[in-house]
Amino acid sequence: MAAKKKIAIMTSGGDSPGMNGVVRACVRMAIHMGCDPYVIYEGYEGLVRGGDLIRKMEWHDVRGWLSEGGTLIGTARCMAFFERAGRLAAAKNLISQGIDALIICGGDGSLTGADRFRAEWPSLIQELEANGEYTAQQLAPYRHLNIVGLVGSIDNDLSGTDATIGCYSALSRICYAVDLIEATASSHSRAFVIEVMGRHCGWLALMAGVATGADFTFIPEKPREDNWREEMCSIVEHHRKQGKRKTIVIIAEGALDRHGNKITPEMVKDLLADKKGLGLDTRITTLGHVQRGGTAVAYDRMLATLQGVEAVKAVLEATPETPTCVIAINENKIVRKPLMQAVQDTKKVAKAIESQDFDLAMGLRDTEFSEQYRSFMMTTAVQMNKQMLLPEKERMKIGFINVGAPAGGMNAAVRAGVAYCLSRGHEPVAIYNGFAGFARHHGDKPLGAVRSFDWLEVDGWASKGGSEIGTNRELPSESGMETIANLIEQYQFDALFIIGGFEAFHAVTQLRKARDDYPSLCIPITLLPATISNNVPGTEYSLGSDTCLNELVEYCDKIKQSASATRRRVFVIETQGGRSGYVATLGGLGVGASAVYTPEEGVSLDMLADDVRHLKEVFAQDKGQSRAGRLILINEKASKVYSARLIAEILREEAHGRFESREGIPGHMQQGGVPSPMDRCRAVRLAIRCIQHLEQYGRNMHNRVKHDPMSATVIGIKGASVVFTPVTTVEEDETDWPNRRPKAAHWLGMKEIVDILGGRPKYHVPEADLTGIKAKDVKRGIEPL
């Protein structure tokens, strides 16, 4: 038999949440692919020193690592690696263990060092031979070193990828801290200057500003004009005159003015506290390494796992001619990119900032970064820029309505939409409690369901969960289509902005189809998908789904701790999601589930029998290691018969006393409390896009609207693009109506990875249900089984 290929994994540079997920995925995928995985402790230091710092790993060694913060294999600066002698020692240490493939998770500096190491490898081998350390025959299998990089960085500062491992976890820590600070700031009517990490990259500061509704931000890529002092003071003064009691300014540690001079938190504090100016009671909070700490959020766990799996495949497929690659995420897809090109593009940003070419620096960031910057400027300076106002005749009256169950980000979307409307001179109007409130309570006294927004109140909604204007599952047809049409005419709405899940999508299709009968419905309508189930056709992402996954992962971490403490126990967790297995599958990826049951695949007795056998074998081999608890996730509609409770009882019965099982049902807790930063930021960006789309139509354009498919649309994220799709296209081509979900889903392939990394062996896949005439004929014996 040929010797197994040996792959080493190491973490380097600054730690970031999710690095342990990378190591776990690489170790288990390597074993699955028939390789021997090794880990190098203490980064490049361990590579140079060798010995017991390079260790072989087994499957069970990485159990429970997904929920751990930092990096469990350590990271350390290593000056010796900068010298050739250090790199020679590193090469010798790898060869002594039979390793010729290396996966490195770190920042751009760590990855640059890895590429240089690979380029030097042939000469290092020659030197080892010349020194008599090894013979040519011994070195023959190790003539080439294959390296694959993954980016672990909280700054999200590597070009060519939408996100780096750890960035959303760090953003989550920042937003959590700002949310806490806001409470005390409001109590004392204080101003807070909050410094966050980001020497050459303002991603954390900008996204935190968008997510928390901060008053002002400073980022390295886009310094303010020379009058930044006057600009900041005028915005803060405007907010205070409106009645706002708190002021939040977020500053990146690398913030500069247009001449390259550093702007410090102390400078900003002195300006806000100046008795001759605003005279605000001002404090500085530097968050520091709190941003790096803690366990990874659901998105970073998903990213770390998928990229780790891809890294193992890439290193096995690499040839001596293959350029060193880095694993990135673009358009919801895990991709391989040339490492040094990504590093060079990243360094261009720092050089552009240094040379004060700030337009180039912004241009080198992705389109979402620039768009979020414009979104932030628009929402923080509401009604201040008179140049944005439209002529009177082009201003519209736009109704805001939430339909379906609450989802994280709904309020942030409403806030952003209202801010844009006010900046343009439109009249945004809230329709409280969905179509049910519209139809039956629009004229209630003293407060009806239809009323104008109070910006001072709405401005505080950025971080609020649920739906402040209420929401309801009732469809227009149930409320009475004629009633709805008459009310739209009565209140003279020029457009409708609908936020919600599958019911909201269904409502838009009903309103569109009713246009022939009710001319007042010939107004532009757009839907912003918001549901924890992520089952709205026309988009790969719905607001609220990220918040839901964070809540589910946190719940499962606690349950798994309980299961681990008692060692031989399985918890069967029921997830929400309707007839879409998105939440269960991504949740399983984030918590390392032993099995996931989804509506798309179904559940059968044979499948359960296979899983029971597997669990028995797993627990039989368990010699008392910690973290031995197991989780199984089942979607609430995966089966009409096999519920979480029943499966837990079957497991308990079939275990015959060898292990325990319990069920856990987080229920509506999955809708979340405070929305995640990702949901908040995307809500702002997408809501503004929606209002911009609606305002293209203007007022009294009934005939144009009736014949334009783009007048009734769903906004969606498809790949890296934000697109509007006509509802006619979505309902006819993309919707699985009986199952209330899209016909195709980008995440379906992730279930195989959950099974592989959970160690689940092959199982009997449930048969598809027969329906209609075919089912009747088979039952009657007319057709064969």
Side-chain angles (χ1 to χ4, degrees), residues 339-359:
L339 170 63
M340 289 318 296
Q341 183 63 51
V343 170
Q344 285 160 14
D345 289 346
T346 302
K347 288 181 175 173
K348 280 180 191 171
V349 179
K351 285 176 183 170
I353 293 169
E354 201 175 308
S355 60
Q356 298 168 34
D357 189 347
F358 300 112
D359 290 336

Side-chain angles (χ1 to χ4, degrees), residues 694-744:
L694 293 174
E695 74 178 357
Q696 294 174 23
Y697 289 89
R699 291 153 60 177
N700 303 318
M701 298 295 287
H702 290 67
N703 200 42
R704 178 194 162 191
V705 164
K706 186 174 180 179
H707 297 98
D708 184 357
M710 291 298 290
S711 65
T713 54
V714 179
I715 191 172
I717 292 179
K718 288 184 175 179
S721 306
V722 175
V723 293
F724 286 92
T725 313
V727 168
T728 47
T729 304
V730 178
E731 64 187 64
E732 290 167 13
D733 302 337
E734 299 180 27
T735 308
D736 177 357
W737 284 100
N739 290 308
R740 292 164 52 88
R741 65 189 184 215
K743 286 180 180 175

Side-chain angles (χ1 to χ4, degrees), residues 2 13 22 28 87 100 109 135 251 260 287 295 336 350 372 411 420 519 534 557 561 572 609 613 628 644 673 762:
V22 167
R28 292 196 168 180
R87 295 192 289 278
D100 67 345
T135 66
I251 180 168
L287 295 180
T295 185
R336 303 173 194 177
Q372 289 286 22
N411 290 320
Y420 184 81
N534 198 23
D557 281 350
Q561 194 175 57
V572 184
R613 269 192 294 276
K762 283 198 163 112

Side-chain angles (χ1 to χ4, degrees), residues 42 54 214 308 337 355 556 576 677 731 746:
E42 309 305 337
I54 302 177
K337 295 200 165 182
S355 60
C556 287
Q576 292 189 331
E731 64 187 64
H746 74 282

Side-chain angles (χ1 to χ4, degrees), residues 365-398:
R365 295 286 181 219
D366 59 24
T367 51
E368 184 178 3
F369 187 89
S370 302
E371 196 172 339
Q372 289 286 22
Y373 181 80
R374 290 193 296 274
S375 299
F376 174 76
M377 292 306 297
M378 196 172 294
T379 52
T380 195
V382 174
Q383 295 174 307
M384 288 185 69
N385 185 357
K386 301 303 179 187
Q387 293 177 329
M388 282 192 65
L389 288 172
L390 289 169
E392 191 73 42
K393 63 179 182 182
E394 294 177 26
R395 298 178 189 178
M396 302 167 71
K397 187 176 185 181
I398 300 175

Side-chain angles (χ1 to χ4, degrees), residues 443-464:
D444 287 3
K445 303 295 181 188
L447 278 177
V450 181
R451 52 186 190 264
S452 296
F453 286 103
D454 172 7
W455 173 245
L456 182 61
E457 181 188 356
V458 174
D459 192 27
W461 290 1
S463 57
K464 284 199 172 183

Side-chain angles (χ1 to χ4, degrees), residues 580-612:
S580 167
Y582 175 83
V583 172
T585 302
L586 272 288
L589 203 64
V591 299
S594 297
V596 170
Y597 303 138
T598 64
E600 287 83 356
E601 186 176 57
V603 187
S604 71
L605 208 50
D606 285 338
M607 178 192 273
L608 292 173
D610 291 337
D611 287 335
V612 169

Side-chain angles (χ1 to χ4, degrees), residues 279-297:
L280 297 176
D281 182 3
T282 308
R283 301 283 192 276
I284 294 174
T285 298
T286 302
L287 295 180
H289 284 74
V290 162
Q291 297 159 80
R292 280 195 194 280
T295 185
V297 297

